């Protein structure tokens, strides 16, 4: 199962997921509710009622499929998602919250080898808060090494995933900007 997933928090930046966005997406991508059965699920990823950290990775391969349109939280999807994209998301949070979010997303990932979580965000040559970014705010940035060791050992059991990263060095409007692109694949 692959989900085009939009997580929005009205508390964070006053953006609301609205049903019209899905309709618009069908128009833009020339899909229909049957050719692309996507759904929009608003919620705060740090609210355990919406996304709690699963105690263990569950094998749900023999359980019936879930009707996505009936979902009110991500929790029923534990162990069911084969591809999770978390683009430009992690750097919004401090180090502890990034670890929490990584564990929470890991719990959603299918137990099947090849299942993957990927994304990109502001990176750094030295782990820590960096104000040197286009947003101008303090963002917590990992290095490729600290990012890889968080996933491989802290989030997933060491050796059970392959973490791939690259750090792009971009100069935008005179500011040096590092973009950390990554994927975490179950072995
Ligand atoms: C920079 S946008 C990236 C959106 C999208 N991934 C993309 O690449 O276009 C960051 C997104 O994180 C969402 N967000 C921030 N805090 C959140 C939270 N606590 N729970 C769920 N979503 C959150 C915001 O609503 C926003 O849509």
């Amino acid at each position: 199962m692959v989900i085009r997933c939009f997580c929005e928090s009205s508390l964070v930046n006053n953006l609301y997921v609205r049903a019209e966005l899905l309709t618009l997406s069908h128009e833009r991508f020339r899909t229909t509710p049957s050719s692309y059965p996507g759904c929009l699920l608003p919620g705060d990823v740090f609210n355990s009622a919406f996304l709690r950290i699963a105690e263990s990775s569950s094998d749900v391969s023999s359980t019936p499929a879930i009707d996505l349109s009936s979902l009110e939280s991500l929790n029923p999807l534990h162990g069911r998602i084969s591809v999770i994209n978390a683009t430009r998301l992690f750097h919004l949070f401090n180090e502890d919250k990034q670890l929490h979010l990584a564990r929470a997303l890991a719990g959603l990932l299918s137990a099947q080898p090849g299942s993957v979580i990927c994304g990109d965000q502001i990176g750094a040559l030295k782990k820590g808060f960096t104000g040197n970014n286009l947003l101008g705010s303090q963002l917590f940035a990992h290095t490729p090494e600290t990012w890889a060791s968080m996933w491989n050992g802290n989030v997933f059991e060491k050796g059970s995933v392959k973490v791939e990263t690259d750090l792009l060095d971009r100069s935008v409007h005179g500011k040096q900007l590092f973009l950390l692109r990554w994927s975490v694949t179950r072995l």
Side-chain angles (χ1 to χ4, degrees), residues 7-9 12-13 15 43-46 85-89 91-93:
C7 283
E8 295 292 353
S9 167
V12 176
N13 56 7
L15 286 176
D44 179 355
V45 289
F46 297 106
N85 179 277
T87 299
R88 317 271 157 106
L89 178 65
H91 60 201
L92 299 176
F93 313 113

Side-chain angles (χ1 to χ4, degrees), residues 9-185:
S9 167
S10 55
L11 296 174
V12 176
N13 56 7
N14 291 321
L15 286 176
Y16 291 87
V17 168
R18 298 154 60 126
E20 298 94 287
L21 291 175
L22 190 53
T23 310
L24 189 62
S25 139
H26 283 310
E27 284 169 20
R28 289 285 175 266
F29 290 96
R30 299 183 184 198
T31 53
T32 63
S34 50
S35 68
Y36 179 76
C39 66
L40 294 176
L41 204 53
D44 179 355
V45 289
F46 297 106
N47 177 355
S48 59
F50 182 69
L51 177 58
R52 70 179 156 70
I53 295 177
E55 273 150 37
S56 60
S57 87
S58 25
D59 180 5
V60 293
S61 47
S62 56
T63 56
I66 286 185
D67 171 14
L68 296 179
S69 63
S70 69
L71 288 182
E72 292 185 353
S73 84
L74 292 172
N75 288 328
L77 297 179
H78 280 141
R80 290 179 177 271
I81 305 185
S82 7
V83 179
I84 298 174
N85 179 277
T87 299
R88 317 271 157 106
L89 178 65
F90 275 89
H91 60 201
L92 299 176
F93 313 113
N94 67 25
E95 185 173 20
D96 288 349
K97 285 185 132 184
Q98 289 193 25
L99 178 60
H100 176 107
L101 178 56
R103 288 183 169 143
L105 293 181
L108 295 174
L109 197 65
S110 160
Q112 295 296 312
S115 305
V116 64
I117 307 179
C118 59
D120 65 33
Q121 70 258 358
I122 297 295
L125 297 174
K126 186 166 181 268
K127 180 176 89 165
F129 282 99
T130 168
N132 190 22
N133 57 69
L134 291 178
L135 301 177
S137 51
Q138 287 289 319
L139 302 176
F140 189 88
H142 272 275
T143 69
E145 293 73 28
T146 61
W147 189 246
S149 70
M150 179 186 83
W151 287 99
N152 188 11
N154 262 326
V155 175
F156 291 102
E157 192 179 322
K158 196 166 175 57
S160 67
V161 290
K162 177 176 75 174
V163 183
E164 293 178 289
T165 59
D166 73 52
L167 192 63
L168 297 180
D169 181 352
R170 293 266 164 83
S171 181
V172 183
H173 303 310
K175 282 193 170 190
Q176 190 181 33
L177 181 75
F178 289 104
L179 186 67
L180 179 60
R181 299 191 303 188
W182 55 275
S183 62
V184 180
T185 309

